[in-house]
Amino acid sequence: VTIDDLGDGLILRRARPDDAEKLSVFNGEIHRSHDATEPARSIAAWTRDLAIGAHPTFKIDDFTIVEDTRGGSIVSSLNLISQTWLYDGIAFDVGMIELVGTHPNFRSRGLVRRQFEVVHRWSAERGQLAQVISGIPWYYRQFGYEYAIDEGGGRGGIRSRIPTLKDGETDTFRVRSATVDDAPFIAYVYDAARQRYLVSCARDEAMWRHEIGGRSVPSTVRAEMCVVESATGDHVGFLAHPARLWGNTLEVRAYELKAGVSWLAVTPSVLRYLAATGTEYGAQSTPDFFDGFTFMLGTDHPVYRAIPSLLQTTVTSGTWYVRIPDLASFVHRIAPVLESRLAASEAIGFTGELKLNFYRDGLWLVFEMGQLRSAEVWPRPERYQSSASFPDRTFLQLLFGRRSFAEIRHAFPDCYARDNQAQVLLNILFPARPSLIWQIS
Ligand SMILES: CC(C)(COP(=O)(O)OP(=O)(O)OC[C@H]1O[C@@H](n2cnc3c(N)ncnc32)[C@H](O)[C@@H]1OP(=O)(O)O)[C@@H](O)C(=O)NCCC(=O)NCCS
């Protein structure tokens, strides 16, 4: 399992089953919040869940470890969690890097850099077209990543605004804990809902069963999975939230209804469930108390339009770092999306080239009668031949719909299109559109 001898008593290797407990303790220590006096139990529990082999897409040897052979201790580690994401319905495999940490005495020696090289290689061997990470500011840019997909964010309200029932009234809908038998229903509702986003994460029934019953209680990524039912017991949707308050807020991780069910009708009952549950959690964790709820459902979600007058707060979204090592292959994969965007546009049947200049290299797209004929690396882009230019990796912001071409051009003077045709094509091929990812953690 040794991958590399780093000298000075340090080896870089894959984790083995007998590393599970050490990894859990290491990550609980490293990832505690900066003012915490205790290790992060929630991170230790998540690490242990990953390490003991219960996770559908992860095994302990998906962790890299740098070990100090003098005392056998872990001094640095990270992992690669395999999953599939969708780009407007087209699946592409993704490697997500998580639990990145180095012991303070061993920092700034390139230990994380070395482990990134290893997991980038594993990811390529697994045929993954993208690597993603949600992490500390700027740092991952140096390993080839660009901020490219919205992450989280949401809208919330305060408890006193949650509508109460009048005397004698009962809720038309109720929320109950999900069981593993609900996995097919949740999968079905989720699969329909994720289609409203440009980028989303594929989740199969095995993963839903893991969410429902497979994670240990303190784990930071565990959610209470719930089913929303009508008074007659029909399943109408599902809800997920952590089994604790964050500060004084109960966060909603997922809330989706079956097609044909009214958000306006169901949501008041869901809010009353959140109030009752949040109050219970508050009572268990003084000095916290339930003060409000946040639907952490990204920049755009039907529930926001169902209860606009109850939403006072906005949580700004974060951003996923994305690395696309082979952009031409990625563009080939999503060609059907590009072709249908063209077919529905003013440029229907387009024949011609789009030569994208990223200064160090570029991407050369050729279309014929509205079909993508080729997508190739443009090794030494020539300024006067370029259709459009994008500094660094900013093109990824356009590709993943996070920013429109006009927005990128506004922010970066060295982003521009040569002519009207290039500008129109970029707007058609790469419209801005919200994404919402519930990643496989
Ligand atoms: C952030 C962290 C993982 C970096 O680990 P590390 O082993 O020191 O990283 P490396 O030395 O491989 O980093 C590569 C380069 O980035 C530099 N670097 C280290 N930490 C940095 C930071 N926070 N911001 C910017 N650059 C940083 C290193 O000096 C090195 O520079 P070089 O290539 O010029 O020599 C480590 O500081 C840590 O464990 N922090 C606490 C936990 C944490 O925040 N993890 C990240 C969660 S997303």
Side-chain angles (χ1 to χ4, degrees), residues 30-31 100-102 107-113 135-136 138-140 142-143:
I30 294 289
H31 296 285
V100 179
T102 299
R107 288 183 186 164
S108 291
R109 294 188 183 190
L111 297 185
V112 163
R113 179 187 294 282
I136 55 173
W138 185 84
Y139 181 67
Y140 299 100
Q142 54 188 342
F143 306 141

Side-chain angles (χ1 to χ4, degrees), residues 116-133:
F116 261 77
E117 287 162 12
V118 171
V119 291
H120 285 168
R121 203 164 64 229
W122 293 353
S123 189
E125 285 161 11
R126 293 175 191 186
Q128 295 167 346
L129 291 178
Q131 292 79 41
V132 300
I133 183 162

Side-chain angles (χ1 to χ4, degrees), residues 158-423:
I158 52 175
R159 86 172 289 163
S160 59
R161 300 289 287 274
I162 294 177
T164 50
L165 292 171
K166 296 196 188 68
D167 279 350
E169 256 183 0
T170 49
D171 262 315
T172 330
F173 298 92
R174 58 175 178 247
V175 179
R176 63 154 172 89
S177 291
T179 71
V180 285
D181 295 339
D182 294 310
F185 171 73
I186 292 173
Y188 168 77
V189 175
Y190 173 85
D191 283 347
R194 64 164 177 67
Q195 291 175 30
R196 75 171 85 87
Y197 303 106
L198 175 57
V199 187
S200 61
C201 179
R203 296 179 144 263
D204 61 12
E205 285 181 25
M207 195 62 217
W208 287 117
R209 284 194 296 274
H210 186 65
E211 298 292 2
I212 294 165
R215 298 191 188 275
S216 56
V217 172
S219 167
T220 187
V221 294
R222 180 176 182 276
E224 257 334 279
M225 298 293 304
C226 307
V227 170
V228 188
E229 292 181 340
S230 71
T232 53
D234 291 333
H235 298 181
V236 298
F238 75 97
L239 183 74
H241 60 80
R244 52 163 289 198
L245 302 178
W246 293 102
N248 296 333
T249 303
L250 184 57
E251 288 190 350
V252 174
R253 187 72 210 267
Y255 172 34
E256 295 299 346
L257 298 177
K258 204 163 76 169
V261 174
S262 161
W263 292 87
L264 189 62
V266 177
T267 304
S269 299
V270 167
L271 290 173
R272 284 189 283 273
Y273 162 84
L274 294 177
T277 307
T279 304
E280 197 184 307
Y281 292 166
Q284 295 161 5
S285 62
T286 38
D288 294 342
F289 59 92
F290 174 67
D291 199 24
F293 58 90
T294 306
F295 287 104
M296 294 295 282
L297 302 175
T299 52
D300 184 47
H301 191 275
V303 73
Y304 305 160
R305 295 186 288 279
I307 52 165
S309 64
L310 303 186
L311 298 175
Q312 286 86 30
T313 54
T314 299
V315 179
T316 315
S317 55
T319 313
W320 284 97
Y321 284 99
V322 181
R323 173 177 180 265
I324 306 286
D326 180 354
L327 194 54
S329 292
F330 186 84
V331 167
H332 268 294
R333 175 64 61 87
I334 61 156
V337 175
L338 303 182
E339 289 165 0
S340 63
R341 287 172 180 169
L342 268 180
S345 79
E346 301 73 27
I348 182 168
F350 173 70
T351 297
E353 303 179 320
L354 201 56
K355 296 174 79 168
L356 305 178
N357 177 352
F358 310 143
Y359 294 97
R360 289 290 190 73
D361 58 12
L363 183 68
W364 188 336
L365 305 179
V366 179
F367 291 90
E368 214 176 283
M369 307 282 286
Q371 306 293 299
L372 183 70
R373 266 297 142 255
S374 67
E376 281 169 28
V377 175
W378 185 17
R380 273 173 297 282
E382 163 57 51
R383 183 172 155 202
Y384 297 103
Q385 291 175 10
S386 309
S387 314
S389 302
F390 295 85
D392 304 322
R393 303 181 190 99
T394 50
F395 176 69
L396 296 187
Q397 301 186 28
L398 186 72
L399 178 64
F400 288 104
R402 179 167 179 264
R403 294 283 178 257
S404 67
F405 178 62
E407 287 168 327
I408 299 174
R409 204 178 41 184
H410 176 80
F412 297 91
D414 44 3
C415 172
Y416 59 94
R418 182 178 58 196
D419 55 18
N420 178 75
Q421 172 173 298
Q423 189 171 323

